[in-house]
Amino acid sequence: MTDPFKSGYASIIGRPNVGKSTLLNRLLMQKVAVISNRPQTTRNKITGVLHLPNAQIILVDTPGIHQSERTLNEMMVRVSVSTFSDVDLILVMLSADTGFCDEDEFVLNSMQRVKTKKILVINKIDLVEKNGLLSLMDEMNRKSLFEEIIPISALKEDGLDSLKNLILNYLPEGPEYFPKDMVTDCPETFLFGEIIREKILKLTRFEVPHAVAVVVEDMREQDNGVVRIDATIYAEKASQKKILIGQGGSMLKSIGQLARQELEKRLGAKIFLKLFVKVRPTGETRGEPYRSSVIPNDSY
Ligand SMILES: Nc1nc2c(ncn2[C@@H]2O[C@H](COP(=O)(O)OP(=O)(O)OP(=O)(O)O)[C@@H](O)[C@H]2O)c(=O)[nH]1
Ligand SMILES: [Mg+2]
């Protein structure tokens, strides 16, 4: 008799920058979430479907949980209702190189009353000595909050097969929720906007990266086979817009070049990427956001 088909949802949660999105991408062997070395890179829940011969693991990458100005209670309600309770398993992630810090404590506190089974994933073990790791595992074991504790390195793809098998142990028998060729439920335009945002995270500094949102407005194949993508980068302030454009358009040109290279690889087609920068209207300033000067982009 063959084993029954298993399927279910596993959320990846943890403070910013521990490597949640890296784990999602590496498990899927495809980039569906953008990565940066800055905290709070991920802003939306991102679903990825891992297709195995006899199972389907639906992974949900989440924005890093951080204290900000919200109270713990508000946070708990917001996060637990949306992510914790309707999944089969929660993967709580820590980063071995920082050990267990206050922000992790906040994450764990916010989960105390969540009944869903939890696996603790200790990431970035490539950065630490074995002894330190063992004492961290011991410390976490004493919290009696987790069914399992597993050390991995998402970046070096170390321990990922063991993690997959562990997850499978906690999934119920179930149907194939998603068709075999579906790796994410995010629309392509969202993903492309994220790739552009990732380049902004990489190239800009200070408050700019976090103030930015990217919207792909239009994407279509032209008669010459080139795919034209129009995207708008929204900043919060005119000063940020200035930085994003750079001297003589140089920053925007670099953002466009990096993004275009990655998008071309992904689509397997030549791309003409047209970027606009606008200041997002605030509650006080009504009216349409204004369109900036069209940026001199590299084009074909
Ligand atoms: N050395 C090492 N670095 C890692 C590992 N996993 C992730 N990183 C790095 O950690 C940084 C943060 O990774 P992300 O995957 O964006 O982290 P995240 O938890 O999704 O962050 P937020 O979306 O901000 O919550 C990036 O620079 C990654 O390259 C790992 O196993 N080892
Ligand atoms: Mg992330």
Side-chain angles (χ1 to χ4, degrees):
M1 225 179 76
T2 52
D3 290 336
F5 194 87
K6 284 183 150 192
S7 59
Y9 283 74
S11 273
I12 311 169
I13 72 149
R15 68 173 171 79
N17 222 23
V18 289
K20 300 178 292 298
S21 302
T22 306
L23 176 64
L24 177 75
N25 290 345
R26 297 299 168 123
L27 282 174
L28 297 177
M29 294 188 292
Q30 195 170 318
K31 180 166 168 180
V32 297
V34 298
I35 313 286
S36 88
N37 57 6
R38 295 168 194 279
Q40 289 160 257
T41 298
T42 306
R43 294 187 183 160
N44 308 71
K45 269 199 264 179
I46 296 175
T47 302
V49 189
L50 178 56
H51 299 273
L52 299 172
N54 220 6
Q56 194 168 78
I57 305 175
I58 301 139
L59 295 154
V60 186
D61 181 19
T62 62
I65 297 177
H66 62 107
Q67 232 146 334
S68 71
E69 68 282 5
R70 287 171 197 279
T71 65
L72 180 61
N73 266 341
E74 263 181 304
M75 184 75 194
M76 269 192 57
V77 173
R78 190 171 68 89
V79 182
S80 63
V81 169
S82 66
T83 6
F84 293 168
S85 30
D86 49 0
V87 295
D88 300 284
L89 187 65
I90 300 172
L91 306 177
V92 182
M93 191 178 259
L94 296 186
S95 181
D97 62 328
T98 54
F100 183 65
C101 62
D102 288 351
E103 270 189 311
D104 297 314
E105 176 114 54
F106 179 76
V107 174
L108 258 53
N109 285 341
S110 68
M111 314 222 355
Q112 290 288 358
R113 282 188 277 149
V114 177
K115 293 216 171 62
T116 311
K117 292 211 159 67
K118 302 162 201 78
I119 292 179
L120 182 69
V121 179
I122 301 183
N123 190 29
K124 306 197 189 182
I125 58 167
D126 52 295
L127 297 178
V128 294
E129 299 294 330
K130 199 164 180 187
N131 280 346
L133 176 62
L134 290 176
S135 64
L136 176 61
M137 288 174 75
D138 192 42
E139 180 188 351
M140 299 316 298
N141 203 11
R142 277 184 266 120
K143 299 205 178 284
S144 305
L145 194 62
F146 305 102
E147 308 299 318
E148 316 265 359
I149 297 179
I150 177 169
I152 66 158
S153 167
L155 195 66
K156 308 272 181 210
E157 301 186 356
D158 183 7
L160 298 195
D161 283 337
S162 313
L163 176 60
K164 269 187 242 174
N165 289 330
L166 264 190
I167 297 172
L168 283 178
N169 289 342
Y170 291 91
L171 293 192
E173 278 181 40
E176 276 187 81
Y177 288 108
F178 292 95
K180 284 222 163 50
D181 56 355
M182 188 163 171
V183 177
T184 179
D185 63 356
C186 295
E188 209 170 40
T189 47
F190 168 79
L191 205 63
F192 290 1
E194 287 287 276
I195 287 171
I196 297 166
R197 192 167 65 82
E198 185 184 66
K199 307 313 170 204
I200 298 170
L201 289 176
K202 195 178 165 125
L203 293 172
T204 62
R205 297 169 64 203
F206 306 117
E207 90 276 27
V208 177
H210 293 304
V212 158
V214 179
V215 177
V216 171
E217 318 274 4
D218 192 31
M219 190 169 116
R220 78 188 102 98
E221 192 171 338
Q222 301 179 151
D223 291 341
N224 57 3
V226 173
V227 178
R228 175 178 169 139
I229 299 175
D230 288 16
T232 304
I233 301 170
Y234 287 99
E236 281 168 357
K237 299 180 199 157
S239 58
Q240 296 161 350
K241 176 182 156 182
K242 208 169 143 206
I243 296 170
L244 283 161
I245 293 174
Q247 204 130 54
S250 58
M251 174 58 85
L252 201 61
K253 190 163 180 184
S254 303
I255 295 167
Q257 264 168 356
L258 278 187
R260 183 172 55 77
Q261 281 162 8
E262 184 166 336
L263 292 168
E264 285 189 337
K265 259 199 226 140
R266 219 180 161 102
L267 277 182
K270 285 225 178 274
I271 285 176
F272 171 49
L273 179 61
K274 198 106 190 154
L275 295 177
F276 301 90
V277 185
K278 295 178 188 175
V279 177
R280 214 174 330 180
T282 63
E284 290 80 49
T285 40
R286 296 203 176 164
E288 287 293 299
Y290 61 90
R291 175 160 286 210
S292 78
S293 48
V294 175
I295 305 310
N297 242 320
D298 55 337
S299 53
Y300 294 102

